[in-house]
Amino acid sequence: MVADIAANLARVRRRIELACRAAGRPSGSVQLLAVSKTFGADAIGQAMAAGQREYGENYLQEALPKIAALADHGPVWHFIGPVQSNKTAQIARHFDWVQGIEREKIARRLSEQRPESLPPLNVCVQVNISGEASKSGIAPGEAAELCRSVAGLPRLKLRGLMAIPAPVKEARDARAAYRRLRELFDGIRQAWPGLQLDTLSAGMSNDLEAAIAEGSTMVRVGTAIFGRRD
Ligand SMILES: *Cc1c(COP(=O)(O)O)cnc(C)c1O
């Protein structure tokens, strides 16, 4: 079955709007990142025709042909997967954002390799908010220090934090993880107001309401827009 991407996008936008209203937040305070991994340039083209501009990709080799195919249409590309050090040069060249910064070494390489002809690369530090041994992200207690180092790199623009909490059964439990993330974010912002951090990237297809209730400013939604991944 072919997903009706325009209708799905409209439903997701509606969910975001209702969640903002329930949280007493202005609609428009949450950006929608469409996660297009495993879907082709044709699907992204349909989403673009429906007004969606920002896209998230997890794998460099999969993303490059899509980025080339859609270059004339002006999408904004976010790299949201783990960054391997042998991929930093291409990621720094082809993406507008990198959301999975968890090591200073990777951040330094991205900064050194960001072409001078492009604006600074927007980045988020990824936090392992549920403390899972298997998951990406820096420990919450080390996030502020990494933010401070990343903010000092000349060709990066630190925008905020990103997290993928462990799956939970209850919406209430999802909120607890997102609350811890927001408290961490608020603490870092208060410690360094000069950094002007504006992005809390949190919430996916299943739990975007919980994330918005706890202050997310960017939800990353794949399945609810493009359909199930194989
Ligand atoms: C795949 C992915 C998403 C989208 O997940 P859905 O449940 O399909 O909405 C969001 N964030 C990251 C980092 C992902 O890898």
Side-chain angles (χ1 to χ4, degrees):
M1 215 187 79
V2 176
D4 185 342
I5 290 170
N8 289 349
L9 263 173
R11 266 192 293 273
V12 170
R13 289 185 186 128
R14 180 81 182 140
R15 282 175 64 191
I16 293 171
E17 191 184 308
L18 290 175
C20 283
R21 200 178 297 169
R25 300 177 53 189
S27 69
S29 61
V30 177
Q31 263 192 305
L32 174 57
L33 179 68
V35 177
S36 44
K37 64 178 174 225
T38 78
F39 293 94
D42 51 338
I44 299 170
Q46 286 177 50
M48 292 208 74
Q52 175 63 32
R53 237 183 121 232
E54 315 253 337
Y55 295 89
E57 290 281 341
N58 294 54
Y59 311 102
L60 177 68
Q61 297 313 327
E62 184 202 325
L64 288 177
K66 300 187 224 180
I67 293 173
L70 294 158
D72 295 339
H73 297 74
V76 175
W77 294 103
H78 296 235
F79 194 84
I80 61 173
V83 183
Q84 296 164 311
S85 52
N86 62 347
K87 303 276 166 58
T88 51
Q90 297 239 65
I91 290 172
R93 174 171 303 274
H94 294 288
F95 282 81
D96 304 290
W97 286 65
V98 176
Q99 294 206 12
I101 302 290
E102 54 180 352
R103 283 188 287 155
E104 197 197 345
K105 180 189 156 205
I106 294 287
R108 190 174 297 283
R109 286 177 68 97
L110 289 168
S111 179
E112 285 165 3
Q113 293 168 333
R114 178 69 166 172
E116 283 298 331
S117 57
L118 297 174
L121 181 64
N122 297 291
V123 299
C124 291
V125 162
Q126 183 173 354
V127 182
N128 185 356
I129 200 67
S130 307
E132 294 169 280
S134 61
K135 271 282 168 64
S136 307
I138 191 160
E142 296 165 24
E145 197 47 47
L146 180 58
C147 281
R148 207 161 62 142
S149 333
V150 170
L153 294 170
R155 300 291 295 140
L156 303 187
K157 170 95 182 93
L158 180 65
R159 299 294 296 266
L161 302 180
M162 182 272 234
I164 313 169
V168 292
K169 289 205 187 72
E170 305 282 337
R172 194 176 55 235
D173 300 331
R175 275 194 68 160
Y178 287 128
R179 185 173 316 129
R180 289 198 302 279
L181 180 67
R182 192 234 312 151
E183 286 166 358
L184 182 63
F185 186 52
D186 287 345
I188 293 171
R189 283 202 292 187
Q190 277 158 21
W192 295 298
L195 297 183
Q196 297 184 306
L197 304 185
D198 61 3
T199 302
L200 191 55
S201 173
M204 313 199 288
S205 291
N206 284 335
D207 64 358
L208 66 89
E209 284 83 3
I212 289 172
E214 294 296 345
S216 166
T217 69
M218 185 184 290
V219 292
R220 308 178 309 270
V221 178
T223 309
I225 296 172
F226 294 106
R228 250 183 229 297
R229 291 181 291 273
D230 292 332

